């Protein structure tokens, strides 16, 4: 049985999941966290379900070697394609980001028309549309894959006319469907939130699944009597970062996303798990 | 000792190496070829030397399990970062793409100013500049990483104003250095040759290392008495394609690059090698 003081494990294909890490860090400041980014095999969004599931299985084994008390699948693509594998492998409670995002969108919409932007793999799985249908029969979901957004974010073109032009192309057909709510269904997308907002217009509300995921994580830990109620000491480093490649590059990118000084990032060989 | 009739092994991080396959297929029509694309871990261009070398080592083991008589490293990034690993692991002659491309550029230039565009990892290694210096002390080399070109090609934006805009940004500083020769130092780039040509202008000659690589392969096989001199039968399928993920997607992309009908592509688990 895991200990309350044990860390939460969070993983993503790379740096994008830090947007989820950031929300959890704010919501649950007493929790220890182990973060893993699969930078040696990023991106996941254009890979097959079988491959993403195999990668996720290795990552669960790695996180369990760090004795985590719960696992948050911060990556939408892994949430869409690999939960069966992850739940089968994991001995601790797991949480993914799609259902929280979908529920938040269903509460947000007024006209019942919801858009989802995500990777090719997530959109191809139809998981957002299928789940939202169970929340309300009349909800209409339109999905759109935006495969260039991840490389544009990784290139740092967060406020740039190339990103604007690409966003206009991807989003025009969504605007035409008269949605009033748009799910940012990939952890990289909150980083170009301003561009997406500008293109979609003020009337469309953007849903970042990370907020809701942090709230649901709190509930999950409470329900399993796993919420940490011991204070952590100031001097202790509560957050540990691991990647499968390029620890230094990860550290620099991470520092630009979250204000917490990331002290150390270690590279591990994920294929060995 | 490998057999003359054994296949040549060619590998790349994904589909880009098919531009090298295409040249070799035309130059050496009697040769059998086994192609491997590491689509489960693509791209290589933003990964570390250690990771790319580990991946290349696994691929050499896979190709040798197919009893190849020689190995062509069609990927510039692997050529830049992993030749030591590849040569140490390989029992058959190997050929990379950087030296052939560099020699071709050194012959092509009139004013001694050569540009190289490639992935971050290839440019970061400085390998083109270092090697070209050995070909002529007075040659001046300017390198420029173009990390968005690969995702733009994979998105199929081969003739597109987004690609034009990105190309203008990457290439403007190269135009200012007054180069007369530009090496396409990534196997994806010949696929947006027209865009690059338009931006660079008529005066700059573009060098595709694949041409020279095919010629050098012929020499290498001759020197090792490995050139196939037996005719292959019409009915035999001379070309075999393997990927680490998404065989169907690869097949479709491949069909758009090379006119030869790719009959079958198999997915293998490269991590097991």
């Amino acid at each position: 049985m895991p200990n309350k003081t044990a860390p939460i494990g969070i993983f993503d294909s790379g740096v994008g999941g830090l947007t989820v890490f950031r929300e959890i860090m704010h919501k649950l400041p007493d929790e220890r966290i182990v973060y893993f980014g699969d930078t040696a095999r990023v991106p996941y969004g254009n890979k097959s379900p079988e491959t993403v599931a195999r990668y996720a299985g290795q990552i669960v084994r790695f996180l369990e070697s760090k004795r985590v008390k719960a696992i948050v699948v911060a990556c939408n693509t892994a949430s869409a394609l690999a939960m069966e594998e992850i739940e089968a492998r994991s001995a601790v409670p797991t949480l993914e980001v799609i259902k929280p995002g979908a529920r938040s969108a269903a509460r947000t919409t007024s006209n019942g028309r919801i858009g989802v932007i995500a990777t090719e793999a997530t959109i191809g799985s139809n998981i957002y549309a299928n789940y939202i249908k169970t929340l309300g029969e009349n909800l209409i979901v339109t999905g759109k894959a935006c495969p260039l957004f991840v490389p544009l974010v990784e290139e740092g073109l967060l406020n740039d006319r190339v990103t604007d032009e690409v966003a206009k192309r991807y989003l025009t057909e969504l605007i035409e469907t008269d949605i009033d709510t748009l799910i940012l269904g990939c952890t990289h997308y909150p980083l170009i939130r301003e561009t997406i907002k500008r293109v979609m217009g003020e009337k469309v509300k953007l849903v970042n699944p990370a907020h809701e995921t942090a709230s649901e994580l709190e509930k999950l830990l409470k329900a399993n009597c796993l919420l940490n109620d011991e204070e952590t000491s100031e001097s202790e480093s509560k957050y540990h970062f691991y990647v499968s490649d390029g620890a230094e590059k990860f550290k620099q990118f991470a520092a630009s996303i979250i204000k917490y000084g990331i002290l150390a990032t270690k590279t591990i060989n994920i294929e060995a798990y």
Side-chain angles (χ1 to χ4, degrees), chain A residues 92-134:
Chain A
V92 299
T94 60
L95 186 67
E96 46 81 63
V97 289
I98 287 171
K99 287 180 187 171
R103 283 195 285 264
S104 178
R107 278 199 312 274
T108 303
T109 184
S110 303
N111 72 0
R113 291 172 188 269
I114 297 170
V116 182
I117 52 175
T119 64
E120 273 178 283
T122 301
I123 294 299
S125 76
N126 240 1
I127 192 166
Y128 270 107
N130 291 342
Y131 182 67
I132 290 171
K133 279 282 174 207
T134 70

Side-chain angles (χ1 to χ4, degrees), chain A residues 20-57:
Chain A
V20 178
F21 170 88
R22 184 169 62 179
E23 296 299 325
I24 292 173
M25 182 182 88
H26 289 146
K27 184 85 183 174
L28 302 168
D30 288 329
E31 296 294 339
R32 295 174 178 86
I33 301 176
V34 172
Y35 182 97
F36 176 75
D38 198 1
T39 46
R41 304 185 292 197
V42 69
Y44 282 4
N46 49 7
K47 284 158 193 168
S48 72
E50 297 70 33
T51 292
V52 173
R54 193 173 73 246
Y55 291 173

